[in-house]
C-alpha cells in the first residue's frame, strides 16, 4: 500500500466490514457444513465441490448453483447447510481472526462508524457474533436475508450504502473474497482485501488486519 493510499483509507469515517474470512475464521466450518449437506441431499455434486469457488456468496446462491433447475432440492440443501453451520458456530468452531478485535477496537477509538455487510444468513451471523462477542462493535448489520441479491452483485453494497445513508466518498470496505471485492468495488467503494491468496481486481491488498491497524498508528506519528 502506498503512503497516499494509506492516508486516504485511514481518513475515511465509515467502515463496511465483511464477516466470513475477513473478521472470523469461519471457512472451515462453512466447508464442513456444505460437504455434509451435499453428501446428504445432492451427493452427485460432492466430487466437484470446491468451497473456495463460492466464498463470499450466500448459501442460497451456492445451493442453487449446486443443484441447478431444482429449487426444492436447493432449498433443502441451503437449510441443511445453515443448520449444520449454526451448530458449529454454537460449538465454538468459528473464532475471530488475529487482529479482528484490535481493528474493531481501534476503529471505535478513532470514532469511526462500523457496519457489518455479510452474505451470511441472519440466524448464522447472530450466532457467530454472539459466540465471538463481536456484536457490540457494529452500528448495524446487513445480511443476505435483507437483500434480494448476493455478492458479487454490486447492488449488495449499494443497498447497504442507501440503507445507512453512507457517503461512498467517505467510506471504505474490508473484504477477503473476490466475490466480496467485486460487490464493493462495483458499488464505488475503496476496498481493502485481506487474507487474499490472489489479489482481486480493484482492491487495495493488505497482508492482514493488523496492517490496517498500523495505518492509524502511522497517521498519529
Amino acid at each position: 500500500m502506498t503512503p497516499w493510499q494509506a492516508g486516504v483509507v485511514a481518513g475515511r469515517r465509515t467502515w463496511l466490514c465483511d464477516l466470513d474470512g475477513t473478521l472470523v475464521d469461519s471457512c472451515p466450518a462453512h466447508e464442513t457444513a456444505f460437504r455434509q449437506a451435499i453428501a446428504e441431499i445432492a451427493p452427485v455434486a460432492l466430487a466437484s465441490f470446491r468451497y473456495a469457488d463460492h466464498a463470499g456468496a450466500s448459501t442460497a446462491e451456492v445451493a442453487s448453483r449446486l443443484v441447478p433447475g431444482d429449487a426444492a432440492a436447493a432449498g433443502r440443501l441451503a437449510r441443511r447447510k445453515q443448520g449444520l453451520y449454526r451448530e458449529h458456530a454454537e460449538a465454538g468452531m468459528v473464532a475471530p481472526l488475529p487482529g479482528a478485535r484490535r481493528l474493531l477496537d481501534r476503529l471505535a477509538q478513532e470514532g469511526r462508524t462500523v457496519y457489518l455487510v455479510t452474505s451470511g444468513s441472519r440466524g448464522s451471523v447472530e450466532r457467530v457474533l454472539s459466540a465471538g462477542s463481536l456484536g457490540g462493535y457494529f452500528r448495524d448489520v446487513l445480511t443476505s436475508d435483507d437483500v434480494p441479491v448476493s455478492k458479487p452483485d454490486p447492488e449488495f453494497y449499494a443497498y447497504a450504502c442507501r440503507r445507512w445513508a453512507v457517503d461512498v466518498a467517505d467510506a471504505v470496505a474490508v473484504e477477503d473474497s473476490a466475490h466480496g471485492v467485486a460487490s464493493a468495488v462495483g458499488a464505488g467503494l475503496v476496498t481493502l482485501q485481506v487474507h487474499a491468496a490472489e489479489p482481486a481486481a480493484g482492491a487495495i491488498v493488505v497482508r492482514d488486519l493488523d496492517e490496517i491497524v498500523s495505518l492509524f498508528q502511522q497517521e498519529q506519528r
Side-chain angles (χ1 to χ4, degrees), residues 57-79:
S58 70
T59 295
E61 176 66 21
V62 176
S64 69
R65 296 174 190 167
L66 294 172
V67 284
D70 191 340
R76 291 195 302 273
L77 176 58
R79 290 190 294 274

Side-chain angles (χ1 to χ4, degrees), residues 8-17 107 110-117 139-140 157 160-161 164-174 189-192 216:
V8 169
V9 168
R12 296 188 176 226
R13 306 298 302 177
T14 304
W15 288 63
L16 308 173
C17 295
L107 291 171
E110 296 286 333
R112 296 336 195 235
T113 300
V114 185
Y115 295 102
L116 190 66
V117 183
R139 174 74 61 85
D140 201 358
Y157 268 96
C161 291
W164 298 318
V166 169
D167 179 1
V168 173
D170 193 33
V172 57
V174 185
L189 289 158
V190 168
T191 305
L192 301 181
F216 295 103

